[in-house]
Coordinates of all heavy atoms in Angstrom, one line a residue:
A483 N -52.0 44.8 -52.4 CA -52.5 45.3 -53.7 C -53.4 46.5 -53.5 O -54.2 46.6 -52.5 CB -53.6 44.3 -54.3
F485 N -55.6 49.8 -55.3 CA -56.4 50.1 -56.5 C -57.5 51.1 -56.0 O -57.5 51.5 -54.8 CB -57.1 49.0 -57.0 CG -57.8 48.1 -56.0 CD1 -59.2 48.3 -55.7 CD2 -57.3 47.0 -55.5 CE1 -59.9 47.6 -54.7 CE2 -57.9 46.2 -54.6 CZ -59.2 46.4 -54.1
V495 N -58.1 51.9 -52.0 CA -58.2 50.7 -51.2 C -56.9 49.9 -51.3 O -56.3 49.8 -52.2 CB -59.3 49.8 -52.0 CG1 -59.6 48.5 -51.3 CG2 -60.7 50.4 -52.1
V496 N -56.5 49.5 -50.0 CA -55.4 48.7 -49.8 C -55.7 47.2 -49.3 O -56.4 47.2 -48.2 CB -54.4 49.4 -48.9 CG1 -53.2 48.4 -48.7 CG2 -53.9 50.8 -49.4
V497 N -55.4 46.3 -50.0 CA -55.7 44.9 -49.5 C -54.2 44.4 -49.1 O -53.3 44.3 -50.0 CB -56.3 44.0 -50.5 CG1 -56.4 42.5 -50.0 CG2 -57.5 44.6 -50.9
Q498 N -53.9 44.1 -47.8 CA -52.8 43.7 -47.3 C -52.6 42.4 -46.7 O -53.5 42.2 -45.7 CB -52.2 44.8 -46.4 CG -50.9 44.5 -45.7 CD -49.7 44.5 -46.6 OE1 -49.5 45.4 -47.3 NE2 -49.0 43.2 -46.7
L533 N -58.1 46.6 -46.0 CA -58.4 45.1 -45.7 C -57.0 44.3 -45.3 O -56.2 44.2 -46.2 CB -59.1 44.4 -46.9 CG -60.6 44.9 -47.1 CD1 -60.6 46.1 -47.9 CD2 -61.3 43.7 -48.0
L534 N -57.1 43.8 -44.1 CA -56.0 42.8 -43.7 C -56.5 41.4 -44.0 O -57.5 41.0 -43.6 CB -55.6 43.1 -42.3 CG -55.1 44.5 -41.9 CD1 -54.7 44.5 -40.5 CD2 -54.0 44.9 -42.9
V535 N -55.8 40.7 -44.9 CA -56.1 39.4 -45.2 C -55.1 38.3 -45.1 O -53.8 38.7 -44.6 CB -56.5 39.4 -46.7 CG1 -57.7 40.4 -47.0 CG2 -55.4 39.9 -47.6
R536 N -55.5 37.0 -45.2 CA -54.5 36.0 -44.9 C -53.6 35.9 -46.1 O -53.8 36.2 -47.2 CB -55.3 34.7 -45.0 CG -56.3 34.5 -43.8 CD -57.1 33.2 -43.7 NE -58.0 33.1 -42.8 CZ -57.8 32.9 -41.4 NH1 -56.6 32.7 -41.1 NH2 -58.8 32.9 -40.6
T539 N -54.0 35.5 -50.4 CA -55.3 36.2 -50.9 C -55.0 37.1 -52.1 O -55.9 37.1 -53.0 CB -55.9 37.0 -49.8 OG1 -56.2 36.3 -48.6 CG2 -57.1 37.7 -50.3
V540 N -53.9 37.8 -52.1 CA -53.6 38.7 -53.2 C -53.2 37.9 -54.5 O -52.2 37.0 -54.5 CB -52.4 39.6 -52.9 CG1 -52.0 40.4 -54.1 CG2 -52.8 40.5 -51.7
R541 N -54.0 38.0 -55.5 CA -53.8 37.2 -56.6 C -52.7 37.8 -57.5 O -52.5 39.0 -57.7 CB -55.1 37.2 -57.6 CG -56.2 36.4 -57.1 CD -57.3 36.1 -58.2 NE -58.3 35.2 -57.7 CZ -59.3 34.8 -58.5 NH1 -59.4 35.2 -59.8 NH2 -60.1 33.9 -58.1
R550 N -54.1 43.3 -60.1 CA -54.9 44.3 -59.5 C -56.4 44.4 -60.0 O -57.3 44.7 -59.2 CB -54.2 45.8 -59.6 CG -52.8 45.8 -59.0 CD -52.1 47.1 -59.0 NE -50.8 47.1 -58.4 CZ -49.8 46.8 -59.1 NH1 -49.9 46.7 -60.4 NH2 -48.4 46.7 -58.5
A552 N -58.2 42.0 -61.2 CA -58.9 41.0 -60.5 C -59.2 41.2 -59.0 O -60.4 41.0 -58.7 CB -58.1 39.7 -60.8
M553 N -58.3 41.8 -58.3 CA -58.4 42.1 -57.0 C -59.5 43.1 -56.7 O -60.4 43.1 -55.8 CB -57.2 42.5 -56.4 CG -56.1 41.5 -56.3 SD -56.6 40.0 -55.3 CE -56.9 40.8 -53.6
R554 N -59.6 44.2 -57.6 CA -60.7 45.2 -57.5 C -61.9 44.6 -57.6 O -62.9 44.9 -57.0 CB -60.4 46.3 -58.6 CG -61.3 47.4 -58.6 CD -60.9 48.4 -59.6 NE -61.7 49.6 -59.6 CZ -62.9 49.7 -60.2 NH1 -63.4 48.8 -60.9 NH2 -63.7 50.8 -60.0
K555 N -62.0 43.7 -58.8 CA -63.5 43.1 -58.9 C -63.8 42.1 -57.8 O -64.9 42.1 -57.5 CB -63.4 42.2 -60.3 CG -64.8 41.6 -60.7 CD -64.6 40.9 -62.0 CE -66.0 40.5 -62.5 NZ -66.7 39.7 -61.6
L556 N -62.8 41.4 -57.3 CA -63.2 40.6 -56.1 C -63.6 41.4 -54.9 O -64.6 41.0 -54.3 CB -61.9 39.8 -55.7 CG -61.5 38.5 -56.6 CD1 -60.2 38.0 -56.2 CD2 -62.7 37.5 -56.6
F557 N -63.0 42.5 -54.8 CA -63.4 43.4 -53.7 C -64.8 44.0 -53.9 O -65.6 43.9 -52.9 CB -62.4 44.5 -53.6 CG -62.8 45.6 -52.6 CD1 -62.7 45.5 -51.2 CD2 -63.3 46.9 -53.1 CE1 -63.2 46.5 -50.4 CE2 -63.6 47.9 -52.3 CZ -63.6 47.7 -51.0
L558 N -65.1 44.4 -55.0 CA -66.4 45.0 -55.3 C -67.5 44.0 -55.3 O -68.7 44.3 -55.0 CB -66.4 45.9 -56.7 CG -65.6 47.2 -56.7 CD1 -65.5 47.6 -58.1 CD2 -66.2 48.2 -55.7
D559 N -67.1 42.7 -55.6 CA -68.1 41.6 -55.7 C -68.3 41.1 -54.1 O -69.1 40.1 -54.0 CB -67.7 40.5 -56.5 CG -67.9 40.9 -57.9 OD1 -68.5 41.9 -58.3 OD2 -67.3 40.1 -58.8
G560 N -67.6 41.6 -53.3 CA -67.7 41.1 -51.8 C -67.0 39.7 -51.6 O -67.4 39.0 -50.8
R561 N -66.1 39.4 -52.5 CA -65.6 38.0 -52.4 C -64.2 38.0 -51.8 O -63.5 36.9 -51.8 CB -65.4 37.4 -53.9 CG -66.8 37.2 -54.5 CD -66.7 37.0 -56.1 NE -65.8 35.8 -56.3 CZ -65.3 35.7 -57.5 NH1 -65.5 36.5 -58.6 NH2 -64.5 34.6 -57.7
I562 N -63.8 39.0 -51.1 CA -62.5 38.9 -50.3 C -63.0 38.8 -48.8 O -63.7 39.6 -48.3 CB -61.7 40.2 -50.5 CG1 -61.1 40.3 -51.9 CG2 -60.5 40.2 -49.6 CD1 -60.3 41.5 -52.3
Q563 N -62.4 37.8 -48.1 CA -62.7 37.5 -46.8 C -61.6 38.0 -45.9 O -60.6 37.5 -45.8 CB -62.8 36.1 -46.6 CG -64.2 35.4 -47.2 CD -65.4 36.0 -46.7 OE1 -65.6 36.1 -45.5 NE2 -66.4 36.2 -47.5
P564 N -61.9 39.3 -45.3 CA -60.7 39.8 -44.5 C -60.7 39.2 -43.0 O -61.6 38.8 -42.5 CB -61.0 41.4 -44.5 CG -62.5 41.3 -44.6 CD -63.0 40.2 -45.3
L565 N -59.4 39.4 -42.6 CA -59.2 39.3 -41.0 C -59.7 40.4 -40.3 O -60.3 40.3 -39.2 CB -57.8 39.0 -40.8 CG -57.1 37.8 -41.4 CD1 -55.6 37.7 -41.2 CD2 -57.7 36.5 -40.7
H566 N -59.5 41.7 -41.0 CA -60.0 42.9 -40.5 C -60.2 43.8 -41.5 O -59.4 43.9 -42.5 CB -58.9 43.4 -39.4 CG -59.3 44.6 -38.7 ND1 -59.9 44.7 -37.6 CD2 -59.0 45.9 -39.0 CE1 -60.1 46.0 -37.2 NE2 -59.6 46.7 -38.1
E567 N -61.1 44.7 -41.5 CA -61.3 45.6 -42.5 C -61.8 47.0 -41.9 O -62.5 47.0 -40.9 CB -62.3 45.2 -43.6 CG -63.7 45.2 -43.2 CD -64.7 44.8 -44.3 OE1 -64.2 44.3 -45.4 OE2 -65.9 45.1 -44.2
V577 N -69.6 47.8 -52.1 CA -69.4 46.4 -51.9 C -70.6 45.7 -51.7 O -70.9 44.5 -52.2 CB -68.3 46.2 -50.8 CG1 -68.2 44.6 -50.6 CG2 -67.0 46.8 -51.1
A581 N -72.1 42.6 -53.9 CA -72.1 41.2 -53.3 C -73.7 40.8 -53.4 O -73.9 39.6 -53.2 CB -71.7 41.3 -52.0
R596 N -64.5 43.3 -39.5 CA -65.2 42.1 -39.2 C -64.2 41.1 -39.4 O -63.0 41.1 -40.1 CB -66.4 41.8 -40.4 CG -65.9 41.6 -41.8 CD -67.0 41.1 -42.7 NE -66.6 40.8 -44.0 CZ -66.8 41.5 -45.1 NH1 -67.3 42.7 -45.0 NH2 -66.3 41.2 -46.1
A597 N -64.4 39.9 -38.9 CA -63.5 38.6 -39.1 C -63.9 37.9 -40.3 O -65.0 37.8 -40.7 CB -63.5 37.9 -37.8
G598 N -62.9 37.2 -40.9 CA -63.2 36.3 -42.0 C -62.4 34.9 -41.9 O -61.2 35.0 -41.5
G600 N -62.4 32.5 -44.2 CA -62.1 31.9 -45.6 C -60.6 32.0 -45.9 O -60.0 33.1 -45.5
A601 N -60.2 31.1 -46.7 CA -58.8 31.2 -47.2 C -58.8 32.2 -48.4 O -59.8 32.6 -48.7 CB -58.3 29.8 -47.8
G602 N -57.5 32.6 -48.7 CA -57.5 33.7 -49.7 C -58.0 33.4 -51.0 O -57.9 32.1 -51.4
A603 N -58.2 34.3 -51.9 CA -58.6 34.0 -53.3 C -57.4 33.8 -54.2 O -57.6 33.4 -55.3 CB -59.5 35.1 -53.8
G604 N -56.2 34.2 -53.7 CA -55.1 34.2 -54.6 C -54.6 32.8 -54.9 O -54.9 31.8 -54.5

Side-chain angles (χ1 to χ4, degrees):
F485 48 85
V495 179
V496 176
V497 179
Q498 175 62 59
L533 286 79
L534 300 181
V535 298
R536 297 181 187 278
T539 299
V540 174
R541 284 196 172 185
R550 296 185 183 94
M553 291 302 299
R554 183 179 184 275
K555 186 176 189 307
L556 288 172
F557 171 73
L558 291 174
D559 289 346
R561 293 168 55 197
I562 296 177
Q563 293 295 319
L565 298 166
H566 180 93
E567 72 176 19
V577 174
R596 74 169 187 255

